[in-house]
Amino acid sequence: MAFGEQPAYLRVAGDLRQKIVDGVLPPHTRLPSQARIRSEYGVSDTVALEARKVLMAEGLVEGRSGSGTYVRERPVPRLIARSGYLPAGGASPFRQEQADESAHGTWESHSEQEDASPEVAARLRIAAGDRVMRTRYVFRDGGEPMMLSTSWEPLAVTGRTPVMLPEEGPLGGCGVVERMAAIDVVVDNVHEEVGARPGLAEELLALGGVPGHVVMVLERTYYASGRPVETADVVVPADRFRIAYHLAVK
């Protein structure tokens, strides 16, 4: 193969991809069979199969048991707006994750204590094995699952306080900033990093995605005078949402 030349399966996948983008193969249309791809493009069964696998991994087509492979409906991505942490005054966990005031969502959560893993401990600057409160969330907008979040708070900060359980007690359901303020911990900084990776099977099941789909992972940590008091991973399906930041210029 000459330098810069694509493997045959990528050339076939690229041509089929362009047909999908141009509408020649519209949503819900059956993708040409493996035999037809082999015949039309003059390639082997292996190349035809690999080309189909590429399109499936990209989320452009989906297999239907006993029926074949079909072009998927391509969702129009919606924005998840972020603007740093929100001040006290009724900010909910949903509002903490979605700053767009036009969005009205709901969430489900479950909290339990656990030993901090080495990764979580490093993010919270505590020792591995120290006790933390882990809370898992599923956020929905209009009933549609839009993001997942797993947060960890060091029990050295919140243990035996009214805010130890994020969704229970007098401040249950409030955001991190307001809850921490109630125990005289003033959040003054937040750090976020955004990356992407293939979604885990359980994540895609919860989000209604297709195996192999890519998710965006927002790693967020709240600080009070330089001390991490909460860290979280927020998982968003990359094919349905975009993350937009609105930052004030000082």
Side-chain angles (χ1 to χ4, degrees), residues 225-245:
S225 300
R227 179 184 186 181
V229 296
E230 191 255 29
T231 193
D233 286 335
V234 181
V235 177
V236 179
D239 64 326
R240 303 205 307 269
F241 295 93
R242 297 289 182 269
I243 298 176
Y245 282 83

